[in-house]
Amino acid sequence: MRKRKLLSLSVSYILLILLAIVMIYPLIWMVGAAFKSNEEIFGTLGILPKNPVYGAFKAGWKGTGQYGFSTFLINSFKLVIPTVIFTVISSVLVAYGFSRFNFPLKKFLFMLMLSTLMLPSIVLIIPRYIFFKNFGWLDSYLPFTIPALLACNSFFTYMMCQFFRGLPLELDESAKIDGCNSFIILVRILLPLCKAAIFSVMVFQFVWTWNNFLEVLIYVNSISKYPVALGLRLTMDIGSEFDWNQIMAMSIVAIAPPVLLFIVAQKYFVEGIATTGMKN
Amino acid sequence: MKRIKQKYNYAGYLYILPWILGFLLLQLVPLISSLWYSFTDYQMIGTPKFVGLANYAKAFKSPEFWKSLKVTCLYVLMAVPLKIAFALVIALILSQKIKGINFFRTLYYLPSILGGSVAISVLWKYLFMKNGIVNGLLSKIGITGPDWLGSPTWALFTVGLVTVWQFGSSMLLFLAGLKNIPESLYEAASLDGAKTLRKFWSITLPSLSPIVLFNLVMQMINAFQEFTPAYVITQGGPLKSTYLYGLMLYDQGFKFFKMGYSSALSWILFVIILAFTSTTFGSSQSWVHYGDES
């Protein structure tokens, strides 16, 4: 019996390790490929370059010549950081309203908010485009920041709601007796306890906005405003077929911020997913 | 009087106001206006002209529409079950008393945060080129790999692999669910002489069924809208074999600026997604078991 258990456990480990290699190999290969010549990228399978070629990062960084990856990276941050901040503010406020107040139609409105989780965003893309165009918001980052400010992604609101519900009501009540109004209670009492949840919202929204492609493709037109995703795609289009290592190098640049964030904050990803996924 | 006042606190409206505005202006109004646009001829310039059901008729008569719909359904039916099955199997393995579970969990989740990015699509293009690394590895074990992205038979599968590669978030949900199954259930079953497989079918799977449903529905909604990998890796080709619905919608709306027609396309997709998800929900009564606590 014991032997069988040991056997099944070792099979499990072998499977897990093999899978880990398969999953991660492409990413590691990508790093190696940034230092390979073209012949080596397609001629060999190994990860480490035999005749390392340096300079792919430097050459690739120049981008189109007129606009390089410094511009694209700065643009990405200009797009992502306000979006993240607005998402935190709006999702905290709305979740607080839903989880700590009782008002007419609350249940209905909450269900409505939850149901928008299942509303396919692609259905809204045409009318929203027309709407933003009429407002003169095209070719700016407003199509990203304004929806964030208006809590349009219910995922985050729901995540905060779940978290607020886990905090004991006695906290609010004792503060109320001390004469605090509801906003002070939120800011002074509840928010300090929500750090983990707020951090989850931040990391998710950062990664999603950073990776967003379809919407930036539609809303952002001038190259000077391109975030990294569009810049990379542009480099791929105009880059001659001979600069594969440069494209690999810039792909690494493009995924580096989310990967670094993930490594630092992985605990929050796990918690965030676990809190929203359950209780459905 | 006083009691009612205590019961309702209208300040709540103030806090949810951002969402109310967002819902009305950026979700409800767009949804309704796109329904209106779908009955019009609207090319971005000029005003929408009412044409009745012409846009819908045009779609149903267009071979491109049917091709794209077929490709998309194939994609969903392949990628979603594969991803969920994968996530479930790995979660089951990880839920044994495995050392280094955090390490594996982190590693498997990493692709989920990168998957949608252009960089990964670019990488995929390289990995699956005819003389790329995947075929290189296959030839090592004596298999001549196909031209993954050049052949209409394989291209959709290859694009779908990007999605399957991101099984991490579904896996985390299953792991959380597995943790919630009380140990006592298994102990009781053991006393009754149940074997491992029997325990899986009678305890584990029923307990996880709500999470299976949640994953199925959410992944389906996402898969129907997939855009980036197909756009970057194959541009919908070869022979439109990866021309997902999202690509067609993008082309009609933002390449040809046929706003009326693409609104009709998006409403058709909406109805299809609704049909798929409600069928899934409908069927769930027979296979989803909620614990007695709910």
Side-chain angles (χ1 to χ4, degrees):
Chain A
M1 194 64 193
R2 214 157 162 209
K3 229 176 177 177
R4 250 184 76 187
K5 216 165 188 179
L6 201 70
L7 186 76
S8 84
L9 208 60
S10 23
V11 170
S12 297
Y13 274 112
I14 292 169
L15 269 176
L16 288 175
I17 291 168
L18 274 180
L19 183 68
I21 293 171
V22 172
M23 302 262 314
I24 299 305
Y25 191 83
L27 295 175
I28 299 174
W29 180 83
M30 176 158 87
V31 177
F35 298 98
K36 287 176 183 169
S37 64
N38 276 344
E39 299 83 66
E40 220 185 309
I41 286 183
F42 290 106
T44 57
L45 301 176
I47 284 171
L48 290 174
K50 284 196 198 76
N51 306 301
V53 184
Y54 302 100
F57 281 90
K58 208 176 159 196
W61 194 267
K62 290 194 194 110
T64 65
Q66 197 184 358
Y67 299 106
F69 272 79
S70 328
T71 314
F72 300 147
L73 275 174
I74 291 171
N75 287 341
S76 271
F77 282 111
K78 275 190 201 157
L79 162 69
V80 171
I81 290 173
T83 306
V84 168
I85 294 173
F86 290 162
T87 304
V88 169
I89 295 173
S90 65
S91 61
V92 163
L93 290 178
V94 175
Y96 182 56
F98 273 126
S99 54
R100 285 297 204 255
F101 294 85
N102 198 13
F103 44 83
L105 291 178
K106 178 174 125 164
K107 267 223 164 102
F108 168 75
L109 291 170
F110 188 73
M111 288 314 291
L112 203 60
M113 186 205 61
L114 274 191
S115 66
T116 64
L117 268 179
M118 293 178 49
L119 182 68
S121 58
I122 206 162
V123 178
L124 300 175
I125 228 160
I126 305 279
R128 273 197 186 181
Y129 176 85
I130 297 169
F131 182 81
F132 292 145
K133 189 182 151 75
N134 292 340
F135 270 66
W137 289 356
L138 290 188
D139 211 20
S140 78
Y141 303 138
L142 290 172
F144 304 90
T145 47
I146 300 299
L149 197 60
L150 298 181
C152 278
N153 193 337
S154 304
F155 174 82
F156 299 115
T157 312
Y158 181 56
M159 197 153 120
M160 288 307 304
C161 272
Q162 292 290 79
F163 196 83
F164 276 131
R165 281 179 184 164
L167 298 175
L169 269 172
E170 288 81 34
L171 285 173
D172 306 41
E173 267 145 27
S174 62
K176 211 181 270 170
I177 291 165
D178 292 345
C180 297
N181 68 35
S182 63
F183 188 71
I184 303 279
I185 294 174
L186 173 66
V187 175
R188 296 254 173 88
I189 316 275
L190 298 180
L191 275 194
L193 300 170
C194 294
K195 273 186 199 143
I198 289 175
F199 213 67
S200 296
V201 171
M202 287 170 82
V203 287
F204 272 106
Q205 183 65 304
F206 183 96
V207 170
W208 287 347
T209 316
W210 188 275
N211 287 339
N212 190 332
F213 179 67
L214 177 57
E215 278 172 286
V216 288
L217 184 68
I218 290 168
Y219 297 134
V220 182
N221 312 117
S222 30
I223 300 176
S224 62
K225 289 178 185 160
Y226 270 15
V228 172
L230 289 181
L232 181 64
R233 156 106 191 131
L234 184 71
T235 328
M236 205 175 93
D237 281 349
I238 61 162
S240 63
E241 294 278 296
F242 300 102
D243 298 328
W244 277 318
N245 57 4
Q246 286 182 28
I247 293 168
M248 283 294 110
M250 288 309 105
S251 296
I252 295 168
V253 170
I255 62 168
V259 170
L260 289 178
L261 187 68
F262 174 67
I263 292 169
V264 176
Q266 47 134 323
K267 178 175 140 217
Y268 298 99
F269 281 99
V270 176
E271 277 172 13
I273 292 217
T275 46
T276 42
M278 304 308 299
K279 307 236 168 181
N280 258 280
Chain B
M1 241 351 237
K2 210 166 182 191
R3 232 204 206 140
I4 293 167
K5 233 180 184 171
Q6 260 177 352
K7 220 172 154 200
Y8 283 138
N9 185 345
Y10 293 92
Y13 284 125
L14 214 58
Y15 287 101
I16 67 163
L17 188 65
W19 171 75
I20 292 178
L21 287 176
F23 174 73
L24 292 177
L25 291 177
L26 295 170
Q27 281 166 335
L28 191 63
V29 170
L31 203 62
I32 293 166
S33 58
S34 90
L35 186 61
W36 156 243
Y37 289 135
S38 77
F39 299 117
T40 65
D41 179 20
Y42 185 29
Q43 316 264 351
M44 260 345 268
I45 13 176
T47 46
K49 207 167 63 221
F50 185 76
V51 292
L53 291 167
N55 286 322
Y56 292 92
K58 186 181 159 194
F60 293 136
K61 269 186 241 148
S62 142
E64 186 188 77
F65 167 81
W66 290 109
K67 171 81 185 172
S68 177
L69 190 60
K70 191 183 135 204
V71 166
T72 310
C73 288
L74 266 175
Y75 177 83
V76 172
L77 293 177
M78 181 221 24
V80 173
L82 207 59
K83 184 179 191 177
I84 291 176
F86 228 70
L88 181 58
V89 170
I90 304 304
L92 284 171
I93 296 179
L94 280 180
S95 71
Q96 294 174 291
K97 299 199 164 41
I98 292 276
K99 283 213 177 78
I101 177 173
N102 281 334
F103 171 76
F104 287 116
R105 207 173 52 180
T106 309
L107 216 66
Y108 296 155
Y109 186 66
L110 182 64
S112 297
I113 65 155
L114 299 175
S117 71
V118 176
I120 294 305
S121 295
V122 173
L123 175 66
W124 230 250
K125 205 170 164 171
Y126 285 50
L127 293 173
F128 287 93
M129 272 184 180
K130 202 174 177 197
N131 54 348
I133 186 159
V134 171
N135 278 348
L137 288 170
L138 284 177
S139 72
K140 279 254 152 105
I141 50 169
I143 300 172
T144 315
D147 182 2
W148 297 97
L149 299 170
S151 105
T153 355
W154 287 102
L156 189 68
F157 174 75
T158 314
V159 170
L161 279 183
V162 184
T163 307
V164 180
W165 188 59
Q166 303 167 56
F167 69 86
S169 56
S170 305
M171 176 198 73
L172 287 183
L173 292 180
F174 281 131
L175 269 176
L178 283 167
K179 249 192 218 158
N180 284 348
I181 304 177
E183 196 65 36
S184 57
L185 280 180
Y186 291 107
E187 279 158 14
S190 293
L191 284 179
D192 291 344
K195 294 269 172 1
T196 318
L197 205 63
R198 170 96 183 125
K199 282 189 220 162
F200 174 75
W201 285 113
S202 311
I203 301 173
T204 316
L205 214 52
S207 312
L208 287 182
S209 57
I211 305 176
V212 174
L213 176 67
F214 177 77
N215 274 331
L216 208 57
V217 169
M218 290 321 268
Q219 297 299 341
M220 228 152 51
I221 295 173
N222 286 335
F224 269 111
Q225 306 178 68
E226 194 66 86
F227 177 77
T228 312
Y231 182 80
V232 176
I233 303 174
T234 53
Q235 287 93 43
L239 298 174
K240 303 244 168 196
S241 60
T242 57
Y243 197 56
L244 294 180
Y245 208 99
L247 268 71
M248 174 170 68
L249 208 81
Y250 174 81
D251 282 347
Q252 294 299 334
F254 301 102
K255 243 187 187 163
F256 310 132
F257 290 103
K258 291 184 182 155
M259 293 309 187
Y261 181 54
S262 47
S263 294
L265 286 179
S266 67
W267 265 89
I268 295 171
L269 181 66
F270 189 33
V271 170
I272 292 171
I273 294 179
L274 224 55
F276 266 79
T277 47
S278 49
T279 313
T280 312
F281 273 119
S283 79
S284 75
Q285 279 173 343
S286 62
W287 60 270
V288 171
H289 303 265
Y290 292 98
D292 38 23
E293 71 270 11
S294 60

